[in-house]
Amino acid sequence: MSVIQKEAQAWVVRLASGQVSERDAQVFRHWCARSRKHANAFAEARAVWGAMAPAARAVTRAQQPVNTARRAWLGGAVAASLGLLVLRPPTDLWPAVAGLGADYATGTGEQRAVVLDGGVLVQMNTQTRLDAAPLQDGAAALVLLAGEAEFQAGLGLGGAARVRVQAGDGMVLAGSARFNIRLFGQEVCVTCLAGRLRVVQAGNDAELAAGQQLRYRPEHFGIARAVTKGDVSAWRQRLLVFKQSTLAEVVDEVNRYRPGKLILHGEALQQARVQASFSLDRLDDVIALIQDAYGARVTRLPGGIVLFG
């Protein structure tokens, strides 16, 4: 077993313990980002732990006839911990397995800029995974695996005149253009910020001009609509802008940038409408808003977890 594999196993155990500080999370993200070998070793170690979950449950069942409540509880706790490790990372401290081997990645709250072959400039937002292939027929070929990024090709950069970005089950093709792509789950949102671009997906095809946006997902291809460009790229100025968004949508977005997790309880609270902007450097202002404007009870837990009821 290599040193990297041993370190990966140690990280799996440590993250599953529930005793993880934000400093630990930062060290882990940097460890994962050191190389593909590090990221892949962690993914393999995590998969092994996942495979152990059924065995742990079997041990629990075998112990049930024994009149030892503590032993049964411990067996159940092991099985539950293993299942949780596979299904939901503790407080989202590590990224999804699909993105662990990405060429470029950002952690929670992190933003970075990269210049790729052909002079394509990519501004990556928080929790983003991106793969980059060598130039193909003079065009930059990129794959957005998850998250959000702003791409710029041409427009005086003196680099590649074309760029292709695969996102979900579609493709964005552009010459001299600047555009933003968000990919969460299977839904893709493409916004043209300057120039013109083309969006293709499963036989569908659309052209976008500056100030137009289009969304698509499997078996659905939307229509171009006008949007405010400044709102879409507000994250570049470290701002989050919400216009008549539900509080549930606001919290989902804030959780992408903030360590820990905000959790809403109650349908009325989740569906309340919000029109506001927040600085990424002062995201706890959201907690004050929910408490003061909506009268929510606030419970703070370790690890940056905040419950609203």
Side-chain angles (χ1 to χ4, degrees), residues 162-207:
R162 293 177 294 136
V163 61
R164 296 197 298 263
V165 182
Q166 178 184 332
D169 64 344
M171 185 84 69
V172 178
L173 311 167
S176 294
R178 183 166 60 91
F179 53 97
N180 190 93
I181 304 179
R182 288 171 59 101
L183 168 58
F184 300 116
Q186 294 184 306
E187 181 167 278
V188 181
C189 178
V190 182
T191 306
C192 183
L193 301 172
R196 300 186 69 87
L197 57 84
R198 182 180 166 208
V199 183
V200 296
Q201 177 233 26
N204 299 299
D205 195 320
E207 283 198 4

Side-chain angles (χ1 to χ4, degrees), residues 262-284:
L262 305 183
I263 302 173
L264 294 176
H265 290 295
E267 183 70 17
L269 190 60
Q270 293 172 355
Q271 296 306 313
R273 293 287 170 175
V274 177
Q275 179 143 343
S277 62
F278 302 98
S279 167
L280 291 181
D281 301 314
R282 295 184 55 182
L283 286 180
D284 279 357

Side-chain angles (χ1 to χ4, degrees), residues 3-66:
V3 173
I4 293 178
Q5 288 173 320
K6 290 179 181 179
E7 291 176 349
Q9 290 183 355
W11 272 118
V12 169
V13 174
R14 190 171 181 180
L15 293 173
S17 71
Q19 305 298 316
V20 183
S21 67
E22 178 56 26
R23 172 62 181 166
D24 293 331
Q26 292 174 354
V27 172
F28 167 69
R29 293 185 192 108
H30 289 140
W31 182 89
C32 257
R34 287 173 63 181
S35 73
R36 278 179 176 268
K37 288 184 179 180
H38 286 75
N40 290 337
F42 179 79
E44 291 170 3
R46 180 184 172 193
V48 169
W49 274 64
M52 289 169 60
R57 296 189 189 99
V59 169
T60 304
R61 288 194 297 270
Q63 292 174 341
Q64 290 299 332
V66 181

Side-chain angles (χ1 to χ4, degrees), residues 103-114:
D103 293 331
Y104 303 93
T106 55
T108 300
E110 180 185 4
Q111 297 178 350
R112 65 180 293 197
V114 293

